[in-house]
Amino acid sequence: MKMKLTPEQQAIYDGEQGAERAKIMKSLVLFGEAFGAEKMVPVTGKYGHLVTSFGLSFLTPVFDLVQELLDAGVVSKQPFSVDPYPLDPNVPASPLERLTWKAIYLKQKPYDKQLKKMGLMNDRAYTCTCYMDEVGNIPEKGDVLSWAESSAVVYANSVLGARCNRNSGIYELFGSILGFVPYYGFLTDEGRKAKWVVEVRTSKKPEAQVLGSAIGMKVMEDVPYVKGLDKWIGTELNGAAKDYLKDFGAATASNGAVGLYHIENLTPEAVELGESLIADDAKVYVIDDAELERVKESYPCIWKNPKAKPKLCFMGCPHMSYRQLQQWTEDIGEALAANGKKKVVIPTVITTSPDVLEVFQKSEEYRKLKSYGVVVSNICPLMYMDNPLCARKPVITNSNKLRTYTSSRYYTDSEILAQITGGDLA
Ligand code: F3S
């Protein structure tokens, strides 16, 4: 072993806290060494977050592993939230599609029980936006985390200033169990330096999901330092800016592999350290209207019939904030009225976290949104699309992550709004 462990870590490695913790420590050491880590550091965030929320029938090794740990009395040191639930009977689906899900997510109930025993924060903690106020898993600046969900990692690093690598599933659980993670990448000051300067020179506010996609595809796993975006989203990290960065970040992380970005004059490290965050040999990527158009036009449509009428619309990947739910309610209401309609003309599902939904359900906007025929759910649309029968359906979305991982087709917010409310697709 090349890594230098503290006496406490070495004792775990040597089996003084049991064979299971020793195996976990060895796995983390090997994992860290593969990335050049020379030491392990304590996880300082209050909560963990797991990516594996789904009881997929074939994930037997995961369920066996978790059971082995539970049987040995090994649980997470920190409570954790987990990615969204895969199932919701309120989401439109045919009887055959529902039957298929039952087979696909056969292990959901027993896995839910395992998660609870392992340290799940509470029964509502199923969401990828665990950092929303209503959910309460909000890391502090400088906190070291053991998370894996790419959209949450990039948000925690960039918007909250926490320190977390893009870990893989199960390894993030290992870090939460032991309370240590290998020290490399985004945990180090050097790893947080920008290798790209992105200059935003658009004539209007760029669509968050397309801008994130363009940057992700260009810089891949590198850190971008984005200039010129504060002109459009301001210099205050308020609710609107955070919502924008949530969707932007998820696109950078899924269309590329970005785990951290800096927005000049806005995100905490960029405000604090400015251009000293930019590496000496950083490359430059200029984004103007034409570049965004080029990127958007490059998305393939993999529907069997590209001219098919959409059968379903998904929004809220990553899960929407309360503010976004209010905004969409207003926008849909106005567009329906303008188009002389009372209800959406394409079945539409908006997803959000169970905690945000619980609060939203008490609002006037929720009543309105329901009256427009929109379903608000807390599932993960990606897991819905994992059903081969659903994957064949012409589904539209404003999520670039969903577009990347499924057969769904991307449209901008205004294009989606026009389609679901019976307006013209300009
Ligand atoms: Fe969240 Fe599922 Fe999208 S985890 S980011 S809703 S793919």
Side-chain angles (χ1 to χ4, degrees):
M1 172 177 51
K2 289 185 224 114
M3 201 182 282
K4 195 149 174 35
L5 300 182
T6 63
E8 183 194 359
Q9 293 161 355
Q10 188 66 50
I12 300 172
Y13 188 94
D14 293 339
E16 286 179 26
Q17 290 187 18
E20 292 75 18
R21 283 194 177 82
K23 271 198 225 170
I24 292 175
M25 183 58 99
K26 280 175 191 162
S27 304
L28 283 173
V29 166
L30 286 171
F31 186 68
E33 284 185 348
F35 291 96
E38 292 175 357
K39 62 177 180 179
M40 306 276 282
V41 291
V43 172
T44 60
K46 192 169 169 198
Y47 298 107
H49 181 84
L50 305 191
V51 73
T52 316
S53 59
F54 36 87
L56 271 176
S57 309
F58 60 79
L59 275 186
T60 314
V62 170
F63 311 133
D64 290 351
L65 170 82
V66 174
Q67 196 54 47
E68 195 181 326
L69 294 173
L70 289 173
D71 290 345
V74 176
V75 293
S76 176
K77 254 191 170 171
Q78 46 175 194
F80 54 79
S81 46
V82 65
D83 264 5
Y85 214 67
L87 303 162
D88 177 356
N90 298 314
V91 172
S94 71
L96 196 56
E97 286 164 356
R98 291 192 198 283
L99 210 62
T100 311
W101 274 311
K102 273 200 170 163
I104 295 176
Y105 297 110
L106 203 60
K107 298 283 170 57
Q108 193 61 44
K109 288 273 175 287
Y111 185 52
D112 290 340
K113 282 191 188 152
Q114 287 185 321
L115 287 174
K116 213 168 171 173
K117 286 185 187 153
M118 188 49 79
L120 186 65
M121 285 168 70
N122 56 57
D123 291 345
R124 299 179 313 283
Y126 285 83
T127 178
C128 45
T129 57
C130 58
Y131 44 79
M132 292 285 162
D133 289 345
E134 296 85 348
V135 187
N137 182 354
I138 313 167
E140 302 274 337
K141 183 165 183 286
D143 269 348
V144 173
L145 310 179
S146 185
W147 293 9
E149 161 55 43
S150 66
S151 67
V153 167
V154 74
Y155 188 92
N157 273 325
S158 315
V159 181
L160 303 176
R163 295 192 168 215
C164 185
N165 280 314
R166 280 180 55 123
N167 298 294
S168 66
I170 300 302
Y171 272 90
E172 96 276 51
L173 172 62
F174 287 173
S176 287
I177 287 174
L178 293 191
F180 296 110
V181 281
Y183 183 71
Y184 71 95
F186 298 132
L187 269 53
T188 70
D189 288 344
E190 202 46 40
R192 298 177 77 84
K193 289 225 162 155
K195 293 193 177 154
W196 283 88
V197 173
V198 176
E199 293 181 10
V200 176
R201 295 189 199 156
T202 52
S203 64
K204 57 183 191 301
K205 181 177 173 180
E207 196 83 15
Q209 302 263 5
V210 183
L211 180 65
S213 160
I215 294 175
M217 287 198 270
K218 175 66 83 177
V219 312
M220 292 314 290
E221 77 277 19
D222 287 343
V223 178
Y225 186 97
V226 183
K227 294 182 174 187
L229 188 57
D230 54 329
K231 176 178 170 191
W232 303 110
I233 60 173
T235 54
E236 192 196 330
L237 260 183
N238 54 22
K242 285 182 181 171
D243 289 343
Y244 185 98
L245 294 179
K246 163 179 77 76
D247 294 336
F248 162 83
T252 66
S254 55
N255 287 226
V258 174
L260 164 68
Y261 56 81
H262 303 295
I263 309 291
E264 189 174 54
N265 300 324
L266 183 61
T267 51
E269 279 157 286
V271 168
E272 193 183 324
L273 302 166
E275 294 199 6
S276 67
L277 282 168
I278 302 171
D280 290 342
D281 55 349
K283 290 171 263 188
V284 177
Y285 176 34
V286 176
I287 296 184
D288 54 16
D289 297 343
E291 176 63 357
L292 287 183
E293 196 51 35
R294 181 195 68 76
V295 168
K296 185 168 171 268
E297 288 305 311
S298 73
Y299 303 149
C301 173
I302 56 172
W303 293 354
K304 202 168 171 199
N305 172 12
K307 293 204 167 80
K309 183 174 166 8
K311 286 224 164 80
L312 186 63
C313 169
F314 266 123
M315 293 191 276
C317 165
H319 277 172
M320 274 195 199
S321 69
Y322 189 90
R323 204 196 65 87
Q324 287 180 306
L325 290 170
Q326 286 179 310
Q327 189 63 55
W328 274 101
T329 307
E330 194 182 318
D331 292 348
I332 292 172
E334 282 175 6
L336 284 174
N339 296 327
K341 301 261 186 314
K342 292 234 172 322
K343 285 184 181 287
V344 287
V345 297
I346 297 169
T348 298
V349 179
I350 294 183
T351 55
T352 188
S353 66
D355 280 309
V356 169
L357 181 56
E358 191 175 270
V359 185
F360 186 62
Q361 274 170 337
K362 294 177 189 138
S363 70
E364 178 59 16
E365 283 96 347
Y366 178 68
R367 196 196 55 71
K368 281 189 193 164
L369 205 48
K370 261 185 93 175
S371 75
Y372 303 151
V374 175
V375 173
V376 188
S377 168
N378 44 48
I379 62 160
C380 167
L382 176 61
M383 294 182 210
Y384 178 101
M385 297 295 287
D386 270 350
N387 183 333
L389 299 175
C390 299
R392 282 190 220 137
K393 288 199 288 200
V395 174
I396 58 171
T397 181
N398 63 350
S399 165
N400 227 325
K401 178 170 181 177
L402 196 63
R403 172 198 74 80
T404 305
Y405 293 146
T406 71
S407 55
S408 62
R409 186 170 188 173
Y410 174 80
Y411 286 98
T412 62
D413 288 352
S414 55
E415 289 168 340
I416 287 277
L417 186 64
Q419 290 187 80
I420 64 175
T421 58
D424 289 333
L425 190 56

